[in-house]
Amino acid sequence: MSERPSPSDDERRLAELGYKQELARSWSGFSNFAISFTIVSILTGGLASYGIGLANGGPITMAWGWPLVSLMVLFVGMAMAELASAYPTSGGLYWWAAQLGGPVWGWFTGWFNLIGQIAVTAAIDYGAAIFTTVVLNVIGIEIGTDRTAIFLVFLVILVLHAVLNAIGPHLSAVINNISAWWHVGGVAIFVLVLTFGANQHQSVGFVFTETVDNSAVGFGGVAFSFLLGLLHAQYTFTGYDASAHMSEETHDASRMAAKGIINTIVASAIAGYLLIMAVTFAIPNLDDALDPTKNSGYPVIYILENSLNSFWSGLLLIIAATAQLFCGYASVTSASRMLFAFSRDGAVPGSALWSKLSARKVPVNAVLFISFFAFVLLIPSMLVPAANAPTAYAAATSVATIGLYIAYGIPILLRQLHGSRFQTGPWQLGRWYRPVGVVALLWIVLISFLFILPMDDRGYPWNSEFTWNTVNYAPIALIGVVGAIGIWWLVSARTWFTGPKRTVEDAPDAGASGDETTVKA
């Protein structure tokens, strides 16, 4: 009789954290990096949300805002990487918070993360739909580029991503590996074409000093508008927690998940800056690029179509649209693993359904859950007047950014409270954990405040042209959901939700679960 193979170091560590190996551990370190790099996707957030930055601050938001956000995000990423190395589980952020602070911290972190994951999937696929409709019309499939066409393409893309995700984890790894190289090659082609093929180029002075004041708050002027425009870069730098969520499918996860987070941020910062600088230098006319009647709400498409001939603009749009399809696919993968882990511990209604694995070790029902609610989140884009549809998209990006970064911040805060008692993994910050964590938390507080503000002048009550159609519904959505899960916790969940549930009984508890190291809520 053959003996059962001995468990790997990854399986032993997972058992110490309380779980048996259920997902297929078939991903390499590069695949782990590739999924985060794909979800950050500078060809998605960097281009689809470009108009948010250009309208708020102007070219200086691109020239100075991207490096600023990149640096601050690196602090957040380093703090998260240390946690991912210590606790390599699919639950990621929620698991870290529950382990370090108790069930209530895990409960709120998990829901913020889940909301953010759904919102970022919705925003990514809606942005992909915008570019895809343009591409389809360019290649002769005339479906129009109005918001009805965009929304129908958005629905088709969600269905496509759900079906592909259901096929199996090996396909996911292959697709994400291809995607990583597609993004690198795509950025290179963008930069070369716009540098040598654009009809004209703006001056260095224009790119680094030209401003647009659209703050509408009556104070702060360009400086405050610049801060609002940081949503462009900050939204792009979301989703690198995917490296943590894929831990249970990655070899040498204690090291590779941490490296996946850091390498994603660094690579995206450098390649992204080259990309948006190339686009900004190629702006034909700033006023026209910001005019909704001429740019259809999406300045990058206007810039490409008016700076290049039809062949090159069409090629770059195809590259961008394909990258965005890769990005949305990866986002569904990551979000479904987070939902699987959260449901495995009984936190989501119908948990048994969402934590169920198919014969191919895929949480198919979780994939469908994420796809459906991503669709629901962007229904408001069809309810507002057509001219204000970009406002709904900006609100979705705000919900995604705020939800995810609050979920990033809670376990970072708890790690700070643990101090030297925290048991680190192979990748650690050493004595630098304190300043790194403090900077990360201060940045999260700042952006969470900024991104609940309206991006449109008419979204402020004191504006004479105020209209509810331009109000940023991000705070309304977040307050509504957080209020609901808070009431749910007080009325019911606190009596039955105990945090992570062990699925193995023969391994010691993970480091920080004892009474003397747990921060009580």
Side-chain angles (χ1 to χ4, degrees), residues 118-288:
I118 293 170
V120 80
T121 300
I124 289 167
D125 275 355
Y126 192 81
I130 293 166
F131 276 74
T132 301
T133 53
V134 175
V135 168
L136 291 175
N137 283 277
V138 165
I139 65 177
I141 304 175
E142 298 183 3
I143 63 170
T145 55
D146 58 278
R147 64 175 175 165
T148 301
I150 291 171
F151 198 80
L152 290 175
V153 172
F154 167 63
L155 176 59
V156 171
I157 290 172
L158 280 172
V159 172
L160 173 65
H161 287 161
V163 171
L164 288 175
N165 264 282
I167 293 176
H170 179 68
L171 177 64
S172 293
V174 171
I175 289 177
N176 285 300
N177 289 350
I178 294 171
S179 172
W181 291 112
W182 181 275
H183 278 77
V184 172
V187 169
I189 293 171
F190 254 86
V191 172
L192 289 172
V193 169
L194 289 172
T195 299
F196 297 105
N199 298 330
Q200 62 181 28
H201 292 96
Q202 297 289 348
S203 67
V204 172
F206 171 89
V207 173
F208 284 87
T209 65
E210 187 70 21
T211 61
V212 174
D213 181 7
N214 194 34
S215 63
V217 296
F219 61 87
V222 171
F224 195 78
S225 191
F226 169 83
L227 291 175
L228 293 178
L230 295 180
L231 175 59
H232 162 242
Q234 193 67 58
Y235 162 65
T236 304
F237 281 103
T238 54
Y240 47 85
D241 55 316
S243 289
H245 296 308
M246 303 308 296
S247 291
E248 293 181 33
E249 294 167 71
T250 302
H251 293 291
D252 196 15
S254 292
R255 291 179 176 82
M256 293 300 105
K259 290 181 178 179
I261 292 171
I262 300 301
N263 291 340
T264 291
I265 294 170
V266 172
S268 298
I270 297 170
Y273 195 55
L274 293 174
L275 173 67
I276 64 168
M277 283 289 93
V279 173
T280 305
F281 271 106
I283 294 174
N285 181 283
L286 182 58
D287 291 336
D288 289 347

Side-chain angles (χ1 to χ4, degrees), residues 1-201:
M1 180 168 49
S2 61
E3 296 183 0
R4 182 181 182 275
S6 60
S8 66
D9 290 341
D10 287 307
E11 290 176 340
R12 280 193 291 270
R13 179 55 182 151
L14 187 60
E16 290 172 358
L17 297 175
Y19 300 110
K20 62 182 179 180
Q21 185 72 49
E22 294 180 286
L23 296 167
R25 196 175 289 273
S26 58
W27 283 40
S28 66
F30 180 81
S31 297
N32 184 280
F33 155 77
I35 189 170
S36 284
F37 187 61
T38 295
I39 296 176
V40 169
S41 183
I42 49 185
L43 287 168
T44 299
L47 299 181
S49 64
Y50 182 89
I52 294 174
L54 194 65
N56 294 277
I60 65 163
T61 303
M62 308 304 165
W64 302 105
W66 187 278
L68 171 63
V69 171
S70 298
L71 178 61
M72 294 298 102
V73 167
L74 185 58
F75 279 92
V76 178
M78 288 190 293
M80 288 175 59
E82 185 175 54
L83 288 159
S85 179
Y87 305 132
T89 73
S90 293
L93 317 170
Y94 129 76
W95 200 97
W96 308 340
Q99 190 75 2
L100 293 171
V104 65
W105 291 96
W107 175 263
F108 280 95
T109 301
W111 279 106
F112 270 115
N113 194 204
L114 183 57
I115 293 165
Q117 292 270 9
I118 293 170
V120 80
T121 300
I124 289 167
D125 275 355
Y126 192 81
I130 293 166
F131 276 74
T132 301
T133 53
V134 175
V135 168
L136 291 175
N137 283 277
V138 165
I139 65 177
I141 304 175
E142 298 183 3
I143 63 170
T145 55
D146 58 278
R147 64 175 175 165
T148 301
I150 291 171
F151 198 80
L152 290 175
V153 172
F154 167 63
L155 176 59
V156 171
I157 290 172
L158 280 172
V159 172
L160 173 65
H161 287 161
V163 171
L164 288 175
N165 264 282
I167 293 176
H170 179 68
L171 177 64
S172 293
V174 171
I175 289 177
N176 285 300
N177 289 350
I178 294 171
S179 172
W181 291 112
W182 181 275
H183 278 77
V184 172
V187 169
I189 293 171
F190 254 86
V191 172
L192 289 172
V193 169
L194 289 172
T195 299
F196 297 105
N199 298 330
Q200 62 181 28
H201 292 96

